[in-house]
Amino acid sequence: MKNLKMLLKNKTARKILFFFNENPNGIDTVKGISLWIGGNAVIMQKALNTLVKEGMITSHKTVSTTAYAYTNNKKIVKNIEKYIKKFKGL
């Protein structure tokens, strides 16, 4: 989880984590996520790839598209919530 603090410094990754933390049962494509939180889909895709690699977001691939969702790993979710609260100054 050492990369979480660094990832929260990235505006796009932070917005994605905030979005899924507030909508933990959400699942959407990169286009849908970029519409919900605002941002360039190419930049969003790069951030999603990094978050998937770190295990914070999961990807669900089909023949025609890839959808993204929050991790089900309770330990990771708890750490993300802890850092989000610190980041927001709560």
Side-chain angles (χ1 to χ4, degrees):
M1 237 349 109
K2 63 181 177 180
N3 293 327
L4 178 57
K5 192 172 183 179
M6 182 184 71
L7 284 170
L8 286 175
K9 291 180 182 179
N10 176 293
K11 182 180 178 182
T12 303
R14 183 174 64 241
K15 286 171 75 173
I16 293 168
L17 287 174
F18 283 17
F19 171 77
F20 279 112
N21 188 261
E22 292 173 4
N23 303 282
N25 296 315
I27 184 167
D28 212 338
T29 63
V30 66
K31 183 177 178 182
I33 295 167
S34 64
L35 289 172
W36 279 109
I37 65 175
N40 179 287
V42 173
I43 294 169
M44 195 76 52
Q45 183 67 67
K46 289 179 183 178
L48 283 164
N49 290 344
T50 301
L51 293 168
V52 168
K53 183 180 174 185
E54 294 295 325
M56 298 171 200
I57 301 293
T58 59
S59 62
H60 305 274
K61 297 180 182 188
T62 66
V63 175
S64 61
T65 193
T66 302
Y68 298 90
Y70 208 24
T71 181
N72 290 327
N73 184 314
K74 293 183 189 313
K75 183 178 178 183
I76 292 174
V77 169
K78 188 173 181 173
N79 283 333
I80 291 170
E81 288 173 349
K82 180 178 95 176
Y83 277 101
I84 286 175
K85 285 180 183 177
K86 282 184 183 178
F87 190 86
K88 288 183 174 182
L90 299 175

